[in-house]
Amino acid sequence: TDIDPAEMNKNGRTAVMLQSDVKSALRLLNANLSRQSHPLWCQRVHAFGRVIPRNEAGGIAPGELVRAVAAVCGEDAYVATDVGQHQMWTAQFYPLSAPGRFLTSGGLGTMGFGLGAAIGAQLAHPEATVALFTGDGSFRMNLNELATVAAYGLPIRMILLRNNSLGMIRQWQDASFGGRHSQSDLPALDYCAIARAYGLRAVALEETPGWQERLAEALREPGPVLIECPIRPDNKVLPTVKPGDTLESLALSAHEL
């Protein structure tokens, strides 16, 4: 469905074309389609978030990191994300208590969205806890807005999952191109030094025992903070979806994770 006829069959042959404003088209479709229910599939999808996959890559497990942040920030926090693997892990493993608390661009792929969204949430809800999950690829896109965070003293908890790569692109290159990586590795940057240059507090976690306690301590301090969390570049979002996969092939049980 598209309101612009030039978009019809632009990138591929279409079985059914509807030239319409999407709001009008959806109203028509809703009036003519019966309500569907897929309880078994929903049950399997929810299982993916209940069990943290084994961390074959070693180091800090992304799922454990998200849960550790949630344990301090709570289910009532406003949680923003950028785009990439961290976005998927946050969606899977952060428990939220109400609608409207998860601020993400979904499938639009707008890297750099997260920091602005977190700033907006904190300005709209000054007494609320606001957490930002971002990756080093996305964070580079809009980190100049740290100046806004500093100028207004916005107490945003910024959790940066650093793997020195565009993690989701790297994962697809592993899955579809035999591990041949092109333009998915990033040069290392000292993100804590950048945050401190803006006058913000910054903490660099290390892949050592006790990282959970150091994370909790950083999250409980007042004011804005950037927490740089190293993860291994071989960590994967699971289940991985590839061309040709079916719902049945993706419906892993919890113990298979």
Side-chain angles (χ1 to χ4, degrees), residues 163-181:
N163 56 8
N164 297 326
S165 73
L166 301 174
M168 187 61 80
I169 294 174
R170 194 178 196 275
Q171 177 170 337
W172 278 104
Q173 290 173 341
D174 285 339
S176 302
F177 299 100
R180 297 189 296 277
H181 300 144

Side-chain angles (χ1 to χ4, degrees), residues 139-173:
F139 192 60
R140 293 166 183 245
M141 299 286 183
N142 205 24
L143 59 77
N144 55 294
E145 289 299 340
L146 290 176
T148 305
V149 175
Y152 291 95
L154 301 174
I156 301 169
R157 278 75 179 105
M158 296 168 281
I159 299 94
L160 170 62
L161 281 71
R162 176 182 56 76
N163 56 8
N164 297 326
S165 73
L166 301 174
M168 187 61 80
I169 294 174
R170 194 178 196 275
Q171 177 170 337
W172 278 104
Q173 290 173 341

Side-chain angles (χ1 to χ4, degrees), residues 61-82:
E64 292 180 3
L65 175 64
V66 173
R67 288 287 178 82
V69 173
V72 177
C73 292
E75 297 183 5
D76 293 331
Y78 289 88
V79 178
T81 77
D82 268 300

Side-chain angles (χ1 to χ4, degrees), residues 75-93:
E75 297 183 5
D76 293 331
Y78 289 88
V79 178
T81 77
D82 268 300
V83 172
Q85 287 178 311
H86 72 272
Q87 179 187 28
M88 306 297 108
W89 288 319
T90 306
Q92 279 184 300
F93 300 118

